[in-house]
Amino acid sequence: MTTFGESHGKAIGCVLDGVPAGLEIDEAFIQAELDRRRPGKSAYATARKEPDRVEILSGVFEGRSTGTPIAMVIFNTNQKSKDYGNIKELFRPGHADFTYWEKYGIRDYRGGGRSSARETAARVAAGAVAKLMLRQIGITVESGIFKIGDVEAKEYRFDYALESEIFALDPSAEQAQKDAVLQAKERHDSIGGAALVRARGVPPGLGEPIYYKLDAVLAEAMMGINAVKGVEIGEGIHSAELLGSQNNDEMSKEGFLSHHAGGTLGGISSGDILDIKVYFKPTPSIFKPMKTLDIHGREVTCELKGRHDPCVAIRGSVVAESMAALVLADMVLLNMGRRMDEVRRCYGK
Amino acid sequence: MTTFGESHGKAIGCVLDGVPAGLEIDEAFIQAELDRRRPGKSAYATARKEPDRVEILSGVFEGRSTGTPIAMVIFNTNQKSKDYGNIKELFRPGHADFTYWEKYGIRDYRGGGRSSARETAARVAAGAVAKLMLRQIGITVESGIFKIGDVEAKEYRFDYALESEIFALDPSAEQAQKDAVLQAKERHDSIGGAALVRARGVPPGLGEPIYYKLDAVLAEAMMGINAVKGVEIGEGIHSAELLGSQNNDEMSKEGFLSHHAGGTLGGISSGDILDIKVYFKPTPSIFKPMKTLDIHGREVTCELKGRHDPCVAIRGSVVAESMAALVLADMVLLNMGRRMDEVRRCYGK
Amino acid sequence: MTTFGESHGKAIGCVLDGVPAGLEIDEAFIQAELDRRRPGKSAYATARKEPDRVEILSGVFEGRSTGTPIAMVIFNTNQKSKDYGNIKELFRPGHADFTYWEKYGIRDYRGGGRSSARETAARVAAGAVAKLMLRQIGITVESGIFKIGDVEAKEYRFDYALESEIFALDPSAEQAQKDAVLQAKERHDSIGGAALVRARGVPPGLGEPIYYKLDAVLAEAMMGINAVKGVEIGEGIHSAELLGSQNNDEMSKEGFLSHHAGGTLGGISSGDILDIKVYFKPTPSIFKPMKTLDIHGREVTCELKGRHDPCVAIRGSVVAESMAALVLADMVLLNMGRRMDEVRRCYGK
Amino acid sequence: MTTFGESHGKAIGCVLDGVPAGLEIDEAFIQAELDRRRPGKSAYATARKEPDRVEILSGVFEGRSTGTPIAMVIFNTNQKSKDYGNIKELFRPGHADFTYWEKYGIRDYRGGGRSSARETAARVAAGAVAKLMLRQIGITVESGIFKIGDVEAKEYRFDYALESEIFALDPSAEQAQKDAVLQAKERHDSIGGAALVRARGVPPGLGEPIYYKLDAVLAEAMMGINAVKGVEIGEGIHSAELLGSQNNDEMSKEGFLSHHAGGTLGGISSGDILDIKVYFKPTPSIFKPMKTLDIHGREVTCELKGRHDPCVAIRGSVVAESMAALVLADMVLLNMGRRMDEVRRCYGK
């Protein structure tokens, strides 16, 4: 996948290369996935309305993938870039304004430009295609919010998350989580949160030894999502507190007797449920005055206007799910040449 | 970097491509780095003695890199593979035995083979070359253990860690951490732990937008190390509990007024200190009986012999430091073509 | 560079990643380059009229590159796909119809789909950006036709080629070359040809040893252009007939005393003029009946209609020039980290 | 494949990643392939004797590949580097001495270093593994010399070439070709030549559209071999002189009725015999005085001693064959995920 586009440019989009030919491309499903991520639907996300209509430019013929690159584009319609005039010359704290300026010496100051979370819409479109492919071999990927601020889920119900305005996994924690978001919002502040991505039906053997380990590539994909600061596989950070006898998953004919590993061993999928936890920092755009510098090196006060998500984790959970689907789809294809008997079978020998 | 080799094969090694020409290659330093990772030095690591003598096969001439691939090899000398005879047909819980078998249908059963932590010696050798390069532009990378079991460091002293048998960052926590390791070892068990890797002197601008973000690539490098299950940048997981006003790092002429971001913004280095936390599960090799399966699908009991690290995090901290150095060296080179004025200057125009 | 799009889909386009920030993006120049390749201008190319208006979707702000991916798109307007109905089920000889069908089991039968030369418009747009960058460091890339059928140029005048309807390098051969094209066209046939691409001002040192040699990557880029069947660097094929004493280029303080090598030694640019010759087969689409198979394996006669270039080499010469520019731009960036002193200088150490 | 090593360093070698597990690794065959390339066997190659014993360091267990990287190393034994003392400071015409010096500012002056043809021994070892894999799915790759100077083969007998001291394809041209080599050698000169590589049993469908076309990647692999200056697929350069009606290969139920395309259409294999022609310049090392510069910019005379191949094409033909095998093996694996039905079948869905 290659994506392109800035938050306030003409369009964003992606090019997906390597999609196997003959996959039914359900455009309605791709749009539905984008709609899950789309802002403007509730009090818990930015009020910015982006219709986010995806248009497929290539690689699909008569409803099926042809094996050639699939280009998808989403034209930006509601850019309202005048909102951003006051930040033209200053570095918003917690944003990439400073680092882009230092690196490139030029910056698309109309919002985050390339570093805007808007770019993730293209990833969700790509992830939807990956999900269509994974579905054909029995792999499903789901996600939901398990934590906002210090309110944590006790149980994980992915079907419930699909219907929840904040993608909450635990109905009993949902209201407290919503309250935490609204409270932050009312105080012109924002709040952090965390998502759980779970994949089922992953066959054993996905992931390459050392260089393209499944867990490593998932970690890259997750940490590369805007605002993510921590990633765990399975027991994650907590495993550092355990003894080997507590953490090892014993096996029986029924499968693994516990699930600390989170679905990978040695960087290769074990066939067990795959669990990834992704932690998002609070949205850096808040409406309180903050000390900062401008591009001339002067100390100034940053006072933001505009419309922003009070909790970027919520919509981020859909992005994380999409990225996991993309990684798994890559791994499924990469894994096909793993054994000489498979190679021979594929070529009829 | 490409590495090769199995724990009980003839040799392990690596090929480093893209090292700039004219870098002084201090072989004694490379060996010293390997010696830090080398087992057999204390009660806190495996008693297995591997001299780990590195030999440079190519890419260095008269003490300097020539710009061509640097191949380094470490011959395996103390293989004692008969220790592993009893695991030939069973899947050790927590190990990659099962996943390699499922993937490849063939397995080098003499120890972990390719999935053995022994492979990481090659990474340390490569990381040492990266450090020599980084040093020339003022970047240093350090590491140490901040947590073993539930004993956590209160302060971070990297100079102290260098001298500590367990690379402890906090002298006041060191004894309790050592005790936790020995206690696990005496009970034929193992214990988890966590390392902090810190880079100083990182210039702003390292890391590419979206596809090769500094934090994302660091996460991949860290999660790809054996036994790692969680990675944090800066405030990490804790940032999910914060408000934007708490988590944003304000700026003044003196620099950042706080350090929650951990040295990256939008995936690009900010010039601030870079902090990465890496969490290791307990060594899966323990000497208690465990339920498992063999390659014929029979339920059997796994009773391991041999020599193993009671806490893989300790030596893992050197590996994490090396991987961070490799990532930073890559990013330093990748960043050179970022601006047209730099390109012109490099070509004298 | 990533390109996408089929000849008869909605659009074709490309995404250029890694363009240094701060490069002035002259849209008029990009369009002018596309216009050179554009069909419908003379009797020597297909009568198909494609306005080929390029639209930049991202990566450019206030006329300059920002360092982020530059996406460019060209919407297809004159598709006339009904012309292609009669080839829906048969394999046109010399085309990729058969191989795509064998590979993917699905085919966009409206023209060549992905394998259509139309895809090369996106490469020309990308090549134009590369040329803008190369110009800044004094590298120019030119091209022209030196051969059509057996009519070969005696001298190479790149300025003349720019004005020639068939991009002829030699005014004295131009009329005979035009006649050869028209004669083939009148006989419902097509004819082969060859282009010379020349780069001047290439600094010594471009190209990596062994894996990313300048000549090897140029060969890949050229052979990857539709209809190309042969590539030469410098003396090329003829060098196989020479003695070492004839072929070696001696050196003096004034530079190389001859130019057999064609600008590379050991895969690295020597600073001498870079010469690449690219040979195109005749357009496979001819209007004579040909024996072929259909997708059901039946022997049928292929009788093509539609509009096609009688000599694909002519417009191909612009594509070859563009690809050479893209390769050189890549090499310019890749070369920046070659020496430790350059790395230090870039980071102010 | 990654290779490493210089002609006069400790060793050369390669690391092969991605070899499917379970492939029988016939070490005797790998050695036999190396012996074909090995010098010192006849009057037509350099008298330098290199035993070229290959040692497998990893990735093979009990005679089979394990799916992990296969490292192979060949230690240099007969380096005789004192022969090269007189070229320490000058640029040998036709060699990469000048370009390496310009690029890196440092040079392993003991022979060609990294740019020496000695590096190709590692490619032959890797190619031998590729051939073992290809053989299992019915693909064979052969090669031979069809041209030396202006003496060209009239027929191609690959079985004969295997036995010929100069790998001559045509018994009736062999003596004249040998004479041309010896005559050049006697005059302290060298001579060019050309090899034909032919692959049979290539299934249709290998090669990716646009970015990893079979013919383009073959061209890169061939042009990347030392001394190669021209590459043709099928009819090659001659196709530029043909009409479409002459060059198109018509099809019947028996297959293609002619073979101008050389086995690829649109960059994808057609199932027909694959023909690649590779043209080598004469060895640049000749024993006649040549004008050149030294590293201080002074005009000097280059008078070479040492032992060199009078016709580098001869041993180069084995290298070209090996590179073709490596490219085909890559393509075989890459092609496995081309169709959704194959993906499903591979995962049992």
Side-chain angles (χ1 to χ4, degrees), chain C residues 229-256:
Chain C
K229 302 302 284 185
V231 180
E232 296 180 312
I233 306 288
E235 198 66 51
I237 283 181
H238 185 233
S239 67
E241 298 192 358
L242 297 180
L243 297 174
S245 55
Q246 295 168 320
N247 187 66
N248 282 346
D249 299 321
E250 293 182 294
M251 298 181 78
S252 79
K253 286 185 176 176
E254 277 68 49
F256 293 99

Side-chain angles (χ1 to χ4, degrees), chain A residues 1-4 91 93-96 98-105 114-115 119 123 147-150 184 189-194 204-213 215-217 219-221 223-237 239-254 256-257 260-262 264-266 268-271 279-286 288-293 297-299 335 338-339, chain B residues 1-4 91 93-96 98-105 114-115 119 123 147-150 152 184 189-194 204-213 215-217 219-220 223-237 239-254 256-257 260-262 264-266 268-271 279-286 288-293 297-299 335 338-339:
Chain A
M1 179 190 51
T2 297
T3 74
F4 60 85
F91 304 127
H95 274 281
F98 175 68
T99 51
Y100 270 65
W101 181 259
E102 284 288 316
K103 186 178 183 80
Y104 296 118
R114 185 65 178 151
S115 72
E119 183 268 344
R123 303 187 188 204
K147 184 171 189 170
I148 285 178
D150 54 7
D189 212 331
S190 63
I191 192 163
L206 300 194
E208 305 300 304
I210 315 292
Y211 290 113
Y212 212 60
K213 286 184 171 176
D215 47 6
V217 180
E220 181 182 22
M223 196 67 94
I225 298 171
N226 309 48
V228 171
K229 301 302 284 183
V231 181
E232 296 179 312
I233 305 288
E235 198 66 53
I237 283 182
S239 67
E241 298 191 357
L242 298 180
L243 298 174
S245 56
Q246 295 168 320
N247 188 67
N248 282 346
D249 298 321
E250 294 181 295
M251 298 181 78
S252 80
K253 286 184 177 177
E254 278 69 49
F256 292 97
L257 299 177
H260 300 279
T264 73
L265 284 169
I268 298 175
S269 64
S270 67
Y279 295 81
F280 295 82
K281 71 177 185 182
T283 321
S285 295
I286 57 175
K288 295 182 157 185
M290 290 175 285
K291 290 178 198 160
T292 192
L293 297 176
R298 291 178 302 217
E299 297 186 341
N335 184 49
R338 71 201 178 281
R339 278 154 71 151
Chain B
M1 179 190 51
T2 298
T3 74
F4 59 87
F91 305 127
H95 274 281
F98 175 68
T99 52
Y100 270 65
W101 182 260
E102 284 289 317
K103 187 178 182 78
Y104 296 118
R114 186 64 180 152
S115 73
E119 183 268 345
R123 302 187 188 203
K147 185 172 189 169
I148 286 178
D150 55 6
E152 199 158 342
D189 212 329
S190 62
I191 192 164
L206 300 194
E208 306 300 303
I210 315 293
Y211 289 114
Y212 212 60
K213 285 184 172 176
D215 47 6
V217 180
E220 181 183 21
M223 197 68 95
I225 298 170
N226 309 48
V228 171
K229 301 303 284 185
V231 180
E232 296 180 312
I233 305 288
E235 198 66 52
I237 283 181
S239 67
E241 299 191 357
L242 297 181
L243 298 173
S245 56
Q246 294 168 320
N247 187 66
N248 281 346
D249 298 322
E250 294 181 295
M251 298 180 79
S252 79
K253 286 185 176 176
E254 277 68 48
F256 292 98
L257 299 177
H260 300 280
T264 72
L265 284 168
I268 297 175
S269 65
S270 67
Y279 296 80
F280 295 82
K281 70 177 187 184
T283 321
S285 294
I286 58 176
K288 295 181 157 186
M290 289 175 286
K291 291 178 197 159
T292 191
L293 298 177
R298 293 178 299 218
E299 297 186 341
N335 185 48
R338 71 200 179 282
R339 279 155 70 151

Side-chain angles (χ1 to χ4, degrees), chain C residues 3 147 189 211 241 245, chain D residues 3 147 189 211 241 245 335:
Chain C
T3 74
K147 185 171 189 170
D189 213 327
Y211 289 114
E241 298 192 358
S245 55
Chain D
T3 74
K147 184 171 188 169
D189 212 329
Y211 289 115
E241 299 191 356
S245 55
N335 185 49

